[in-house]
Amino acid sequence: MKTISTKVAIVGAGPSGLLLGQLLHKHGIDNVIVERVSADYVLGRIRAGILEQGLVKLLEEAGVSARMHREGIPHDGFCISHSERLERIDVKSLTGGESVMCYGQTEVTRDLMAARSEAGLTTLYESSEVSIVDICSESPAVLCRHEGQPVRIECDFVAGCDGFHGVSRQTIPEEKRTEHERVYPFGWLGVLSDTPPVHDELIYAKSERGFALASQRSPTRSRYYIQVPLTDSVDQWSDEAFWAELKRRLPSDISAKLVTGPSIEKSIAPLRSFVCEPMQYGRLHLVGDAAHIVPPTGAKGLNLAASDVSTLYKLLLKAYRAGDFNVMSRYSEICLRRVWNGERFSWWMTNMLHDFGDESVGGMDGASMARFMESELNYYLDSPAGRAVIAEQYVGLPYEQID
Ligand code: FAS
Ligand code: PHB
């Protein structure tokens, strides 16, 4: 058995684990990451594309923001379309100057991986049989097999950054966890293509045929999504069928400008709202998707993970500097206040913009629900106060101060 001693053992080398590891390292707190798959596999996942200012600032603090500022595209607004109506939400003027950064999660992850490797920090990729033990003691540990050898990582704290299907959340006894969940009756079929974006900002499109999103990664690379039934599989969708359906869901003057091309990635993501409470147990702290999931309609998944990371690393700094670990007990309550705001906004945007068919919601039949949601959207688009509500949540509510 190989034994490694560190201060914080991090399970998962996605954006949560890598960002936490980098911030802790910058402040002299030693950490080791255990990751189930290879670095290339992590980079192969195409996910989020919009960064809130809070995450931009964290990446600056972590010293990994140079390429983001060079290649990322600041967006001062985004559009919502409803059939032929196209409305721009001017987030910059509605929030007194806030904006978002368009820069793919894959690139954030790549930058964090490069920084970690440059700092010579330990990341055990392709680890198997990962488990977390003794989390209610003062000496928890992470066990795994790495390069065929059993490894024990002894630490003060464990950060569960291993996503929705990870081992961390399951390590908290079931009777100690309360889980809130809404699984949506549809998914998002996403396509990445080396084609110029159809619009200079994002378009969230509500149409009779269902939801669509026109997003981007760079002036030459686009990311598009369409709502599809959960029963659909990727191989049912040729590129031609995808482009034709996307065109039907965007306003016609936008569709007319759409440049199509071969998909370089195509996948279907299920949509769910999920929160595990509490987000900590003993010396284990759940971070990001390990604790909560949002439908991507509000661009909050990666950004809520970032605010968890910010809270955890600041509390750890405080705990080690004061030599008082009791401060860590505040982690879950601080995170959950912001998480629930992001959950509600994402759930609200999803309900308002998607077609739920004849699924009844809250005892109301689908057709009536659709009329209520149409009225909800028209009210918020027609009201300056309504647009301000959308704008302040889209750029991200402020992080709580950790004094
Ligand atoms: P991640 O899931 O990214 O990373 C967890 C890591 O832990 C993975 O590398 C995994 O391999 C590893 N792991 C799992 N089990 C382990 C174990 N037992 N031991 C060790 N390691 C283990 N958010 C948006 O804002 N916009 C989007 O468009 C969007 N699209 C998404 C599409 C999909 C298909 C999914 C699943 C999520 C999407 N998200 C989106 C949300 C996504 O971006 C997450 O919020 C973000 O990846 C959260 O990062 P992490 O918390 O690091 O979790
Ligand atoms: C993306 O570019 O992948 C993206 C952007 C905004 C969203 C969801 C996904 O709300």
Side-chain angles (χ1 to χ4, degrees):
M1 167 85 74
K2 177 181 177 185
T3 301
I4 303 173
S5 288
T6 188
K7 286 197 166 54
V8 181
I10 299 171
V11 184
S16 293
L18 290 166
L19 180 54
L20 177 64
Q22 192 60 19
L23 288 163
L24 292 175
H25 167 68
K26 294 295 267 188
H27 292 275
I29 298 179
D30 189 52
N31 62 88
V32 169
I33 295 182
V34 176
E35 166 55 58
R36 185 180 57 179
V37 297
S38 69
D40 285 346
Y41 190 95
V42 176
L43 289 172
R45 297 187 192 113
I46 305 302
R47 297 223 181 129
I50 293 294
L51 312 185
E52 294 174 351
Q53 284 306 310
L55 176 47
V56 169
K57 291 187 184 105
L58 269 183
L59 292 170
E60 289 167 350
E61 216 172 303
V64 296
S65 61
R67 190 163 74 99
M68 173 189 63
H69 283 304
R70 245 190 352 263
E71 298 176 14
I73 310 163
H75 280 199
D76 295 344
F78 70 98
C79 295
I80 294 177
S81 69
H82 184 191
S83 302
E84 287 302 310
R85 180 182 182 187
L86 181 70
E87 293 292 344
R88 180 172 187 265
I89 306 292
D90 182 348
V91 295
K92 188 151 195 163
S93 62
L94 286 164
T95 62
E98 290 278 320
S99 59
V100 292
M101 174 69 80
C102 188
Y103 188 66
Q105 171 176 323
T106 304
E107 304 319 313
V108 172
T109 307
R110 199 189 308 279
D111 297 340
L112 285 163
M113 282 179 176
R116 186 167 183 85
S117 163
E118 206 174 299
L121 301 179
T122 305
T123 311
L124 306 182
Y125 283 105
E126 297 181 274
S127 294
S128 59
E129 299 169 36
V130 179
S131 65
I132 305 166
V133 297
D134 303 331
I135 55 177
C136 290
S137 77
E138 293 185 355
S139 43
V142 173
L143 309 178
C144 68
R145 289 191 78 81
H146 182 252
E147 294 173 349
Q149 196 184 24
V151 180
R152 180 184 178 88
I153 301 158
E154 296 180 342
C155 55
D156 296 330
F157 297 100
V158 179
C161 302
D162 49 351
F164 186 67
H165 301 290
V167 66
S168 300
R169 188 173 68 251
Q170 309 306 328
T171 304
I172 299 177
E174 200 169 345
E175 67 276 10
K176 300 290 184 189
R177 281 183 275 137
T178 301
E179 298 185 349
H180 310 272
E181 185 168 50
R182 158 59 159 160
V183 177
Y184 295 89
F186 41 74
W188 279 18
L189 167 60
V191 157
L192 192 67
S193 59
D194 280 332
T195 55
V198 72
H199 198 59
D200 55 352
E201 294 175 328
L202 270 60
I203 301 176
Y204 293 76
K206 179 186 179 75
S207 83
E208 299 295 308
R209 300 177 66 91
F211 173 81
L213 171 60
S215 183
Q216 52 190 265
R217 291 291 179 271
S218 75
T220 58
R221 177 165 285 193
S222 299
R223 178 70 167 164
Y224 295 106
Y225 298 92
I226 57 172
Q227 168 189 347
V228 292
L230 275 180
T231 48
D232 276 15
S233 65
V234 180
D235 48 31
Q236 277 175 262
W237 282 91
S238 67
D239 288 359
E240 294 66 33
F242 175 85
W243 294 122
E245 188 55 37
L246 176 66
K247 283 183 177 178
R248 293 186 195 105
R249 300 188 186 186
L250 293 169
S252 47
D253 60 335
I254 299 289
S255 297
K257 297 185 290 185
L258 182 68
V259 176
T260 65
S263 58
I264 53 178
E265 194 272 350
K266 186 159 46 178
S267 54
I268 294 180
L271 268 62
R272 80 176 73 233
S273 297
F274 174 88
V275 180
C276 170
E277 292 182 318
M279 288 176 52
Q280 67 187 103
Y281 186 71
R283 292 293 180 91
L284 171 62
H285 301 73
L286 304 182
V287 183
D289 278 20
H292 42 76
I293 297 286
V294 284
T297 326
K300 290 298 161 216
L302 176 60
N303 291 299
L304 288 175
S307 48
D308 292 348
V309 168
S310 177
T311 300
L312 182 55
Y313 111 82
K314 286 182 179 169
L315 287 175
L316 284 167
L317 240 54
K318 214 170 150 59
Y320 280 110
R321 284 179 181 160
D324 170 15
F325 286 178
N326 292 326
V327 71
M328 298 309 297
S329 63
R330 294 171 52 203
Y331 171 73
S332 181
E333 51 144 328
I334 294 174
C335 288
L336 284 169
R337 278 192 284 271
R338 193 170 193 277
V339 163
W340 274 112
N341 264 318
E343 289 284 343
R344 180 186 37 71
F345 177 63
S346 306
W347 163 81
W348 177 70
M349 286 280 277
T350 303
N351 283 350
M352 203 162 60
L353 298 175
H354 287 73
D355 174 7
F356 282 76
D358 51 14
E359 184 208 50
S360 74
V361 181
M364 185 189 297
D365 66 81
S368 304
M369 193 61 184
R371 295 294 289 119
F372 273 87
M373 286 298 106
E374 200 161 336
S375 167
E376 177 100 347
L377 177 59
N378 289 333
Y379 167 75
Y380 275 85
L381 292 182
D382 294 341
S383 146
R387 285 164 176 255
V389 163
I390 294 174
E392 74 163 3
Q393 294 177 92
Y394 194 76
V395 298
L397 299 178
Y399 289 12
E400 271 190 48
Q401 285 305 312
I402 308 284
D403 44 26

